Amino acid sequence: MPGFRSAPHRRPPASRTAFRTAGRARRLLGGALALLLGAAATTATSTAYAAEAADPLPTAVVSMGDSYISGEAGRWRGNSLNDAGSRDGTDRAWTGTTYDPARVYGATAANGCHRSDSAEVNGAAGTADALFNLACSGATTRNVLRAASGGVAFKGEAPQADQLAGIAARHDVEVIVLSVGGNDLGFASIIEKCAKDYIVWYSYCHDDQQVLVDSRIDAVMADVARTVDDVRAVMSAAGQAPSSYRLVLQSYPSPLPRGAENRYSESGWSRVNTGGCPFWNKDSDWARDSLVPQLANRLRAVAIAKGAQFLDLRDMLQGREVCATASRLVSATQPASGTTSEWARWIDSDSTQGPVQESMHPNHYGQLGQSRCLGLLLAKPTGHHSCRNTPGSGPTGMYLTPLS
């Protein structure tokens, strides 16, 4: 199945197995009944444990949702103005003679789901027997919902919750990480509108786009909540109670810096031709300090209402955004680096370096940072947390702070 990654087999600890026995009662019923007939004095709990200990299901971590968790833009290590060859080492699809995006996105390079080899779910490596990345670039809540719940296939793939059902039938799913809602809200169209207002119309976008966001966000959050419920329903049908796995709902990082933190002048064409960040300061400030926090706060409310953990990524790219003063373009004399390069993909509207759909997403370094965030969160079994980077440090410098 696309997105599969295996790890060394690990038998669940006895305490964890016993804790989850009730959630797996349906799977274990046959074995439990057989053991009960042979040893009437054995309790139901110990019998179920014995059945599972004899043949435990492999464990799994699953990521679901849209491009901000699928691995979109993982092809790139920073941004370079060089359009030839390896683009100063930024293009991971360069083979030495041509470009092969499948080196990064695997089979999903063809359908555009763009599940990269550096996608966030890899942060769970070593914690489960298998990692599954079901997320797909461009997906909305309708592409996550089961078909029976009104979900629809996307880019030639079944709804993600239906794919999850297949995984849950064969695995003990320990963690599900969900990123969804941005496409329902129209993130891509907002970015496009703001860029055109800078390049073509010389006007601001934040005023009319805020009105649009406010008119949509309640319905979007209702759809996100419905999606969480549908994921829960899939797990329940597979015999896993809510207490037997963790559901993490995450927010989105800002790929744009504040106006004062942009290294290119607002006037002239350097933001367009050099930086790939064609936005006015006021629109950048709105995106960074209003739009992204508004969406994060609403997603957190859904997580709390639905008993999920919340991972706040709004500040994850701080100082590493496209055109940020604390980061640099990659060049022949300034090599790609997780400590100095940008962690988000710039806007390449002419597609001179890969498809436009990669624009404004965490790149290879950003995804390694997100992976680190997930790994840190897995060590925090309860509570909601925010993840940020350490200035001057690479992706391993990510750290969590608890949210009150």
Side-chain angles (χ1 to χ4, degrees):
M1 177 172 293
F4 175 84
R5 182 182 185 279
S6 62
H9 182 76
R10 179 176 61 83
R11 182 181 297 275
S15 59
R16 177 182 296 177
T17 302
F19 175 72
R20 291 179 178 158
T21 295
R24 301 175 191 150
R26 185 178 64 81
R27 296 176 182 156
L28 303 174
L29 186 57
L33 288 174
L35 287 172
L36 280 169
L37 291 173
T42 304
T43 65
T45 300
S46 62
T47 299
Y49 168 70
E52 185 176 352
D55 186 20
L57 290 172
T59 57
V61 174
V62 182
S63 61
M64 306 175 68
D66 55 30
S67 56
Y68 274 76
I69 197 170
S70 74
E72 181 69 87
R75 173 177 174 174
W76 304 96
R77 287 185 290 245
N79 300 305
S80 167
L81 293 171
N82 188 343
D83 292 335
S86 68
R87 343 276 194 176
D88 292 319
T90 61
D91 192 347
R92 301 172 61 226
W94 176 245
T95 67
T97 56
T98 187
Y99 302 105
D100 180 13
R103 292 177 58 145
V104 176
Y105 301 125
T108 65
N111 71 358
C113 280
H114 284 185
R115 299 185 188 109
S116 77
D117 57 0
S118 55
E120 182 180 324
V121 71
N122 292 314
T127 67
D129 297 314
L131 309 179
F132 293 90
N133 185 357
L134 303 181
C136 184
S137 182
T140 65
T141 52
R142 292 183 66 206
N143 307 127
V144 178
L145 292 170
R146 292 172 295 173
S149 300
V152 296
F154 186 59
K155 296 186 177 179
E157 298 185 359
Q160 293 176 35
D162 287 324
Q163 296 182 55
L164 173 64
I167 294 170
R170 304 185 304 274
H171 296 79
D172 165 20
V173 178
E174 297 189 331
V175 182
I176 300 169
V177 192
L178 177 65
S179 169
V180 75
N183 290 321
D184 297 71
L185 193 61
F187 251 4
S189 62
I190 291 172
I191 291 173
E192 182 180 3
K193 176 66 165 57
C194 291
K196 285 184 176 179
D197 280 359
Y198 179 86
I199 299 172
V200 179
W201 303 115
Y202 303 98
S203 62
Y204 295 125
C205 74
H206 64 271
D207 43 5
D208 58 318
Q209 292 302 296
Q210 183 63 65
V211 173
L212 182 64
V213 168
D214 289 341
S215 71
R216 292 176 175 174
I217 198 162
D218 286 346
V220 169
M221 290 303 111
D223 286 339
V224 172
R226 182 184 172 205
T227 302
V228 172
D229 287 341
D230 209 47
V231 169
R232 295 278 197 203
V234 168
M235 296 299 290
S236 178
Q240 287 196 232
S243 60
S244 72
Y245 64 94
R246 294 164 64 181
L247 178 57
V248 178
L249 182 63
Q250 66 184 42
S251 67
Y252 297 87
S254 173
L256 290 175
R258 299 174 179 88
E261 297 168 350
N262 195 309
R263 63 179 181 267
Y264 299 106
S265 172
E266 187 176 30
S267 61
W269 291 100
S270 59
R271 288 191 180 182
V272 178
N273 297 329
T274 306
C277 55
F279 304 97
W280 296 107
N281 285 347
K282 286 186 177 180
D283 290 339
S284 297
D285 291 345
W286 167 73
R288 179 67 181 85
D289 292 327
S290 294
L291 175 60
V292 170
Q294 180 182 12
L295 185 53
N297 292 338
R298 294 297 299 271
L299 288 169
R300 181 185 180 187
V302 172
I304 292 172
K306 297 300 179 180
Q309 270 190 294
F310 178 61
L311 178 59
D312 193 341
L313 298 178
R314 74 181 78 184
D315 297 319
M316 193 209 79
L317 294 176
Q318 175 61 38
R320 315 304 185 111
E321 309 97 334
V322 177
C323 297
T325 54
S327 298
R328 307 175 187 175
L329 287 179
V330 178
S331 67
T333 58
Q334 178 67 50
S337 166
T339 61
T340 61
S341 303
E342 295 163 325
W343 286 14
R345 183 62 178 160
W346 62 10
I347 293 181
D348 179 17
S349 58
D350 295 328
S351 295
T352 55
Q353 298 183 13
V356 175
Q357 75 177 61
E358 294 175 315
S359 302
M360 296 289 111
H361 288 85
N363 61 21
H364 177 66
Y365 295 128
Q367 288 170 26
L368 293 180
Q370 285 186 197
S371 292
R372 177 62 175 162
C373 291
L374 177 58
L376 293 171
L377 186 72
L378 294 182
K380 306 283 186 181
T382 61
H384 311 299
H385 296 80
S386 172
C387 194
R388 301 193 62 164
N389 71 79
T390 301
S393 179
T396 58
M398 308 304 295
Y399 64 93
L400 295 181
T401 56
L403 295 172
S404 57

